[in-house]
Amino acid sequence: MNLFSKKLLVVLIAGAAAQVALAAGPVATVNGTAIPQGHADALITEQTAKGTPDNDQLRGAVREELVRREILFQAAQKEGLDKTPDVATQIELARKAVVIRAYLQNFVAKNPVTDADVRKAYDEIKGRLGDTEYHARHILVDDETEALAIIAKINKGEKFDDLAKAHSKDPGSKEKGGDLGWNAPTTFVQPFSDAMVKLEKGKMTPAPVKTQFGYHIIKLDDTRKMAAPDFEQVSPQLKQRLQAQSLEQHILQLRTAADVK
């Protein structure tokens, strides 16, 4: 069975790696064509990064894989397939993908996310979340007049849950009687969260709360203390997130500066 995914094909296009490999001697020669050692090194590095042990078995498998690829490549060349427009386009896209990956890796290396950056982000998120979770439910409608009529029905004794199932346009909570589950206030848009946190347990908003989604009737079922996850528990994910944000910001800057017509 082939040990390698199709993604490894792009590694073979990196010219710089090939030049280094020639100095080290070929890993094999197929019909007079040398396979640079660097190609094998690249595949071995990728496999060991995935947890595969670096041993004679892996190196033998890599050598055989490269030999098979070279044989197939030569066969394809004889038929002129490498010169067809479709294949040439795919080769160019693969070449660009390798260069782009190298550029992004270089950017990350030159602009590392520090431990201080991660700690700052953690403290900011923790501060925004607060220390209390809210179990709320709501009824969402398009029209304020309809919302006021529903509030009047609830005040006369009709059940909030039943009216949510009958009238709410929120598909995620409608069939659950408007139940939104446990959430931090930052989960919701500000007009909603501002009204929710002011409610007493078991009470609902006396007037509809308007957001960009429509008019909400909010009821607070309960509250509970919320413990934020430890810094050590979430720091790897936070670091990855900050790196992604830094990359995205850099790409947007390049996009803004580019002359695109």
Side-chain angles (χ1 to χ4, degrees):
M1 182 179 292
N2 194 321
L3 296 175
F4 306 98
S5 69
K6 294 180 181 179
K7 293 182 180 179
L8 297 181
L9 178 60
V10 296
V11 179
L12 303 180
I13 304 170
Q19 292 175 3
V20 173
L22 286 172
V27 66
T29 302
V30 179
N31 298 326
T33 299
I35 301 175
Q37 178 64 42
H39 288 188
D41 293 340
L43 299 190
I44 290 168
T45 298
E46 185 158 344
Q47 290 302 306
T48 54
K50 296 176 181 179
T52 305
D54 184 356
N55 52 30
D56 290 342
Q57 182 180 0
L58 174 63
R59 290 179 177 272
V62 165
R63 182 182 185 278
E64 180 60 23
E65 174 67 16
L66 290 172
V67 167
R68 287 171 179 264
R69 289 185 182 188
E70 183 59 33
I71 291 170
L72 290 170
F73 180 71
Q74 291 179 17
Q77 279 187 314
K78 285 182 180 180
E79 295 187 18
L81 295 177
D82 58 320
K83 299 295 192 293
T84 62
D86 183 56
V87 173
T89 297
Q90 292 181 55
I91 291 173
E92 178 60 14
L93 289 173
R95 185 186 71 83
K96 286 187 176 181
V98 172
V99 176
I100 289 168
R101 182 176 63 184
Y103 176 81
L104 296 178
Q105 289 173 342
N106 184 59
F107 176 84
V108 170
K110 289 182 176 180
N111 300 273
V113 174
T114 66
D115 291 341
D117 294 332
V118 179
R119 172 61 73 174
K120 180 180 178 182
Y122 173 80
D123 291 340
E124 288 176 353
I125 294 171
K126 185 177 178 181
R128 290 198 304 269
L129 288 175
D131 61 357
T132 304
E133 280 188 306
Y134 294 78
H135 187 186
R137 60 184 66 234
H138 78 146
I139 302 171
L140 175 63
V141 294
D142 291 319
D143 184 70
E144 183 178 16
T145 301
E146 182 182 5
L148 289 169
I150 292 172
I151 290 175
K153 289 180 180 180
I154 295 171
N155 288 334
K156 289 179 180 178
E158 294 193 39
K159 292 183 178 181
F160 190 101
D161 297 18
D162 294 340
L163 291 169
K165 292 177 182 179
H167 299 284
S168 183
K169 68 169 192 172
D170 176 13
S173 66
K174 176 184 177 72
E175 297 305 321
K176 297 184 290 185
D179 191 355
L180 295 168
W182 288 97
N183 294 281
T186 51
T187 305
F188 306 108
V189 292
Q190 192 167 11
F192 188 105
S193 60
D194 286 348
M196 179 184 68
V197 299
K198 293 176 183 177
L199 290 172
E200 297 179 11
K201 295 179 186 180
K203 301 294 184 180
M204 73 174 183
T205 49
V209 177
K210 187 177 185 301
T211 72
Q212 65 263 44
F213 303 107
Y215 291 86
H216 306 258
I217 305 160
I218 307 167
K219 181 183 176 184
L220 180 62
D221 285 350
D222 203 357
T223 63
R224 68 184 181 189
K225 289 297 179 182
M226 177 178 64
D230 294 335
F231 174 74
E232 291 74 17
Q233 181 182 349
V234 297
S235 60
Q237 295 92 333
L238 269 181
K239 185 173 184 178
Q240 188 176 49
R241 174 181 168 186
L242 292 174
Q243 286 175 335
Q245 289 174 345
S246 176
L247 268 177
E248 181 61 24
Q249 184 178 7
H250 178 63
I251 293 169
L252 288 175
Q253 289 172 345
L254 292 175
R255 180 65 176 83
T256 300
D259 182 13
V260 182
K261 297 179 181 178

